[in-house]
Amino acid sequence: MASTLTYQYAVRDKSGKLITGKIPADSQAAVAQKLKSMGYAPVSISQVSGGGMSKELALPSLGAKVKLKDLAIFSRQFATMINAGLSLLRSLSILEEQTENKELAKVLSEVRQDVETGQSLSSSLGKHPMIFPPLMVNMTRAGEVGGFLDAVMLQIAENYEAETKLRGKVKSAMTYPVVVFCIAILAVTGMLLFIVPVFAKMFLTLGGELPAPTKILITMSNLLKILAIPLFFGAIGGFIVWGRVKHKESVHRVVDPIKLKLPVFGSLFQKIALARFARNLGTMLQSGVPILQSLDIVAETTGNSVVGDAVRDIQTSVRNGESITGPLTGHAVFPPMVVQMMAVGEDTGALDAMLHKIAEFYDTEVEATTESLTALIEPLMIAFLGGIIGSMIIALYMPIFKIFDLIK
């Protein structure tokens, strides 16, 4: 039985553009026949050696990541090219060459090779779940079946652009408090390790009974000298462990309900989850993805297990032939306004349009909430930082004030 080999080829398309790639086949003649059937003019075909020094050494890329912004740009450019009449392979070749993300370019090369062998675009994208989310794969499949791939790609681009904008707003709101909190930790650590010991030696030479706040501060300084290195490595280990377990379902089950009940940020997290739910479900329904399949995907992409459970209840209700909005009344995370708007959309047959309106409303709400939180957090964090540093300074100077009183 002949084993399948890999051949590297260079061909020219109908416009004369040179295209290169690799394809598995039984023989060089089979490769030439395959390329001619695809409308290409073969220029060169050579077998790829699989051993020795010619084997490519693949090194793991550090920090290589395809972000939503990259997918949004790719989808919009892809939609424009298809709408302009370019073929699928020609569009993928151009995008592979001009994308700035090397990881995405590498994946697009593999997708193009799969499409060249006769596979569908959606199945080729589905082979890379870490790059292309299920929402994008299923919408692409719906666009291929319905013959409106360019319109679907445009919807994907708009969806990811809105999601990127939403994440940017949240990050901008969280940047200031995180920076101030880190500065507070560094300032406290520096004072406890370098400044407090100097005062402690001075107080020891003076003798006498130290005030309780000063004793507490000196005790904290002595403990930090012993625990500084273990705490440092423990913090690094904690970040590494959290990065590995934060996406697990069991962790989401514990963390997500707590996030929604936080006094200041709870409403913000709720609005973000509702905006993501409405946008993703509306986009998939508008693209022609079956509703049960859409609900299954949306349940995994809301980013909150509480909303995900509500979506699964909707899925069960629809599977039993009942309404979409019926189960939502039993979930407090969905406000009455959302339930009523979805009910109207379901009755009028315009659920996708109503979901997009809900997403736009909560996008605006998130923007307003982040602005108000930023205005509220700035003075609170300044007071927090000033209170910590000020209390430590007062605790250090209390014995000196006591000495002055004794002198008098």
Side-chain angles (χ1 to χ4, degrees):
M1 183 181 221
S3 60
T4 303
L5 304 174
T6 302
Y7 290 88
Q8 186 170 358
Y9 63 85
V11 297
R12 293 193 182 275
D13 59 11
K14 294 179 180 179
S15 63
K17 180 178 175 59
L18 184 66
I19 300 175
T20 60
K22 296 179 182 179
I23 186 173
D26 296 333
S27 64
Q28 188 172 354
V31 176
Q33 184 67 27
K34 178 73 174 178
L35 294 173
K36 289 179 181 178
S37 66
M38 296 169 64
Y40 294 127
V43 176
S44 64
I45 301 174
S46 59
Q47 182 180 336
V48 178
S49 176
M53 295 298 291
S54 62
K55 186 175 181 180
E56 183 180 359
L57 180 62
L59 297 176
S61 54
L62 299 177
K65 187 177 180 182
V66 179
K67 300 180 180 179
L68 278 181
K69 183 179 179 181
D70 299 320
L71 292 179
I73 296 172
F74 159 74
S75 302
R76 186 168 290 279
Q77 291 176 342
F78 200 15
T80 304
M81 292 180 185
I82 296 174
N83 194 29
L86 294 178
S87 66
L88 200 60
L89 288 173
R90 178 77 184 279
S91 302
L92 288 171
S93 299
I94 295 173
L95 290 170
E96 177 190 345
E97 293 174 359
Q98 69 181 23
T99 182
E100 297 180 357
N101 190 302
K102 294 182 179 179
E103 184 69 16
L104 181 58
K106 177 183 175 183
V107 172
L108 287 179
S109 175
E110 297 176 8
V111 170
R112 178 177 56 81
Q113 292 175 25
D114 289 339
V115 173
E116 286 177 348
T117 59
Q119 299 183 36
S120 65
L121 177 62
S122 57
S123 62
S124 302
L125 297 179
K127 292 182 179 180
H128 307 278
M130 301 302 295
I131 305 297
F132 304 107
L135 181 143
M136 184 175 184
V137 175
N138 284 273
M139 288 181 64
T140 303
R141 183 176 293 113
E144 287 178 324
V145 174
F148 46 88
L149 184 59
D150 54 343
V152 165
M153 282 295 170
L154 194 59
Q155 291 173 9
I156 294 172
E158 292 173 353
N159 182 290
Y160 286 154
E161 285 168 357
E163 181 70 17
T164 303
K165 186 178 179 181
L166 182 67
R167 291 186 180 186
K169 293 173 185 175
V170 176
K171 286 182 180 179
S172 65
M174 296 298 294
T175 299
Y176 185 82
V178 169
V179 170
V180 173
F181 184 72
C182 292
I183 291 174
I185 292 177
L186 292 175
V188 170
T189 303
M191 290 187 69
L192 290 176
L193 289 178
F194 303 108
I195 298 178
V196 173
V198 175
F199 280 83
K201 290 180 181 179
M202 183 179 67
F203 296 152
L204 185 64
T205 57
L206 293 175
E209 186 71 17
L210 293 175
T214 309
K215 288 182 179 179
I216 294 173
L217 197 62
I218 293 175
T219 303
M220 290 174 61
S221 176
N222 294 331
L223 286 174
L224 189 60
K225 288 179 182 178
I226 301 172
L227 301 176
I229 295 178
L231 285 174
F232 175 74
F233 287 105
I236 295 177
F239 279 117
I240 295 174
V241 171
W242 173 250
R244 293 181 177 179
V245 305
K246 65 180 181 180
H247 296 298
K248 292 186 176 181
E249 182 67 20
S250 57
V251 176
H252 277 287
R253 292 285 175 186
V254 177
V255 175
D256 290 346
I258 297 174
K259 287 166 63 177
L260 295 177
K261 295 177 182 178
L262 292 176
V264 178
F265 294 96
S267 62
L268 177 61
F269 290 133
Q270 180 188 11
K271 292 170 183 176
I272 292 171
L274 290 175
R276 188 174 289 133
F277 155 78
R279 183 183 305 108
N280 290 346
L281 183 57
T283 303
M284 297 196 75
L285 292 178
Q286 186 178 356
S287 301
V289 180
I291 185 167
L292 288 175
Q293 190 175 357
S294 300
L295 291 171
D296 188 43
I297 296 169
V298 170
E300 303 295 332
T301 57
T302 57
N304 191 288
S305 62
V306 178
V307 179
D309 290 340
V311 176
R312 291 184 183 93
D313 286 347
I314 298 175
Q315 191 178 21
T316 303
S317 177
V318 173
R319 189 177 286 113
N320 295 332
E322 301 173 2
S323 66
I324 295 176
T325 56
L328 295 183
T329 56
H331 294 272
V333 69
F334 283 89
M337 182 204 73
V338 175
V339 179
Q340 292 170 8
M341 290 182 69
M342 289 182 63
V344 171
E346 186 178 12
D347 293 337
T348 58
L351 182 58
D352 54 346
M354 197 62 72
L355 286 168
H356 281 300
K357 290 184 182 297
I358 294 173
E360 291 174 3
F361 171 79
Y362 278 107
D363 282 340
T364 306
E365 283 289 301
V366 168
E367 185 174 2
T369 303
T370 52
E371 289 177 358
S372 61
L373 280 177
T374 303
L376 175 65
I377 287 174
E378 286 184 6
L380 289 178
M381 293 304 293
I382 292 173
F384 169 74
L385 181 59
I388 290 178
I389 304 298
S391 60
M392 294 179 68
I393 293 174
I394 291 173
L396 287 176
Y397 278 91
M398 284 178 69
I400 298 176
F401 296 150
K402 187 176 180 182
I403 293 173
F404 289 155
D405 292 339
L406 293 175
I407 294 174
K408 292 180 180 179

